[in-house]
């Protein structure tokens, strides 16, 4: 591996941008493909699939064996609301490999006793969210049912490129939420990114089951091709 | 985690910039039960220090030895380890899988 390739690889990784290193294992030739260059790459289909599945693998192209080493950032989950569902959701998401952060300005909810294993930020979204660096590899869920907390949080998420945004609430509740967010300047096309009611329809009742339905929807969004995950 | 992949590749960069000879070993293929997934990295410097892993500790010693050769020659190597391997009794995978490890020099 050439020094400049290794330096760019580390720079992309520390900026949480996905990259793939393509190595011809027959002769050692190597190149680095950044995420935004995948579409125009001759190996676009293979690169896209392996990046989406976060799976490094050997492929054969024109009789050459090429190793695709996928370096995808660790997916994050930001949970707005240190509520009962979040207590089930946080450990489930952590077991799926997500870095989880819980945000809730209400200190009675946002206590380390209720969330022993994940960072909890007891601040309002406008203070808590900017330092978290919400990006393409972030899933974002709003679960408080309180517009004072959920609305500004969702507006922040909509201003970023996160791969999943979900909000708890019935269709009626969500309808009222859309009206409020529109009044604050959100466009219809950006609001369409919010998954609500949140989670896959699996008839979930308990907080733990709702957590499963949320993580199932997030997984589909992360792994399936975009058109199938919509 | 003791060292994530980020630390491992950063160490490779730091060692190389400090003037050390460095090799990068990567699991490129696995069959059957393998302890580390494809893409896992191990970096080795010319003093024999290493970070990361390509197996659960079963074959790292052998990979480090080969890596020192690669640092000296600059030529990449493909290594294979498994129970069918003739060296299996010495350095094989007790889990019964087979892995291929690509070893390349950093800065070549």
């Amino acid at each position: 591996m050439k020094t400049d390739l290794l330096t760019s690889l580390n720079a992309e990784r520390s900026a949480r941008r996905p990259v793939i290193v393509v190595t011809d294992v027959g002769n050692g030739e190597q190149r680095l493909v950044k995420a935004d260059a995948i579409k125009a790459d001759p190996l676009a289909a293979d690169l896209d699939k392996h990046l989406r599945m976060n799976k490094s693998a050997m492929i054969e192209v024109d009789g050459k064996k090429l190793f695709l080493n996928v370096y995808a950032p660790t997916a994050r989950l930001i949970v707005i609301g240190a509520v009962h569902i979040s207590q089930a959701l946080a450990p489930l998401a952590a077991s799926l490999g997500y870095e989880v952060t819980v945000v809730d300005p209400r200190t009675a909810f946002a206590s380390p006793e209720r969330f022993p294993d994940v960072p909890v930020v007891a601040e309002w979204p406008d203070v808590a969210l900017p330092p978290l660096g919400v990006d393409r590899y972030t899933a974002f869920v709003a679960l408080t049912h309180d517009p004072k907390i959920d609305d500004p949080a969702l507006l922040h998420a909509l201003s970023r490129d996160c791969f999943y945004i979900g909000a708890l609430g019935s269709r009626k509740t969500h309808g009222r939420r859309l009206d409020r967010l529109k009044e604050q300047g959100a466009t219809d096309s950006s609001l369409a990114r919010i998954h609500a009611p949140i989670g896959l329809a699996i008839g979930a009742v308990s907080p733990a089951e709702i957590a499963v339905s949320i993580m199932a929807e997030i997984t589909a969004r992360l792994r399936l091709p975009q058109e199938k995950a919509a | 985690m003791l060292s994530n992949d980020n630390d491992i590749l950063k160490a490779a960069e730091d060692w190389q910039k400090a003037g050390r000879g460095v090799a990068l070993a990567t699991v490129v293929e696995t069959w059957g039960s393998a302890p580390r997934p494809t893409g896992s990295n191990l970096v080795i410097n010319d003093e024999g220090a290493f970070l990361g892993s390509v197996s659960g500790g079963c074959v790292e010693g052998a990979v480090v030895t080969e890596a020192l050769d690669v640092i000296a020659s600059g030529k990449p190597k493909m290594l294979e380890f498994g129970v069918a391997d003739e060296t299996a009794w010495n350095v094989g995978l007790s889990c019964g899988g087979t892995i291929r490890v690509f070893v390349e020099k950093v800065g070549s």
Side-chain angles (χ1 to χ4, degrees):
Chain A
M1 182 176 284
K2 293 200 167 76
T3 311
D4 56 349
L5 193 147
L6 178 61
T7 308
S8 327
L9 172 60
N10 280 336
E12 293 300 300
R13 285 158 60 73
S14 69
R16 283 180 58 83
R17 285 191 294 264
V19 280
I20 301 176
V21 176
V22 182
T23 305
D24 181 333
V25 297
N27 59 16
E29 273 177 30
Q30 222 160 28
R31 64 196 180 93
L32 182 112
V33 185
K34 297 182 184 178
D36 53 10
I38 288 179
K39 265 190 186 156
D41 198 275
L43 302 176
D46 281 308
L47 295 174
D48 177 67
K49 182 177 140 208
H50 285 85
L51 175 59
R52 203 159 21 80
M53 304 308 286
N54 193 9
K55 179 138 185 60
S56 299
M58 195 79 85
I59 61 168
E60 277 205 44
V61 180
D62 302 331
K64 283 185 184 173
K65 289 187 95 178
L66 302 178
F67 182 65
L68 309 181
N69 207 351
V70 175
Y71 295 95
T74 305
R76 287 181 182 155
L77 174 66
I78 293 178
V79 182
I80 306 300
V83 298
H84 198 179
I85 294 172
S86 311
Q87 287 179 283
L89 184 63
L92 177 62
S95 76
L96 294 170
Y98 289 76
E99 284 173 8
V100 182
T101 305
V102 176
V103 174
D104 197 321
R106 302 166 299 181
T107 48
F109 285 82
S111 73
E113 291 76 25
R114 287 165 55 79
F115 293 88
D117 300 316
V118 295
V120 180
V121 185
E123 297 281 0
W124 288 87
D126 62 329
V127 175
L129 294 178
L132 293 179
V134 174
D135 63 14
R136 166 81 187 82
Y137 280 83
T138 305
F140 193 101
V141 297
L143 305 179
T144 69
H145 277 306
D146 182 342
K148 289 198 303 297
I149 304 170
D150 281 353
D151 286 5
L154 286 167
L155 287 170
H156 181 85
L158 290 171
S159 73
R160 304 298 181 102
D161 184 27
C162 34
F163 75 91
Y164 176 90
I165 304 173
L168 192 68
S170 66
R171 284 178 205 287
K172 204 168 144 192
T173 307
H174 187 57
R176 287 197 295 269
R177 171 161 47 219
L178 293 179
D179 291 341
R180 289 193 308 271
L181 295 176
K182 255 185 242 176
E183 274 171 30
Q184 296 186 62
T187 62
D188 285 331
S189 64
S190 79
L191 290 171
R193 291 171 58 203
I194 303 176
H195 293 255
I198 199 169
L200 288 190
I202 56 171
V205 175
S206 68
E209 288 172 358
I210 295 168
V212 168
S213 88
I214 294 172
M215 288 318 299
E217 190 169 56
I218 291 176
T219 306
R221 197 66 208 170
L222 181 69
R223 300 294 188 211
L224 289 176
Q226 295 291 315
E227 62 273 19
K228 286 186 191 162
Chain B
M1 288 256 276
L2 258 178
S3 55
N4 64 29
D5 287 353
N6 225 349
D7 301 326
I8 295 163
L9 293 168
K10 192 71 183 57
E13 190 181 337
D14 292 345
W15 278 341
Q16 215 263 328
K17 282 182 177 157
R20 298 237 72 90
V22 182
L24 176 66
T26 307
V27 179
V28 292
E29 286 181 286
T30 67
W31 294 266
S33 158
R36 297 279 286 138
T38 52
S40 301
N41 290 134
L42 174 73
V43 301
I44 306 97
N45 74 16
D46 55 6
E47 290 183 312
F50 61 94
L51 261 182
S53 67
V54 291
S55 72
C58 322
V59 302
E60 270 72 7
V63 174
V64 169
T65 308
E66 296 287 346
L68 295 174
D69 272 1
V70 169
I71 292 170
S73 73
K75 290 202 178 92
K77 268 190 192 182
M78 187 72 83
L79 311 176
E80 189 174 313
F81 300 96
V83 287
D85 194 274
E86 60 192 22
T87 59
W89 298 111
N90 302 319
V91 284
L93 295 174
S94 52
C95 49
T98 301
I99 61 171
R100 254 188 211 151
V101 178
F102 185 71
V103 186
E104 62 190 305
K105 185 174 180 176
V106 173
S108 57

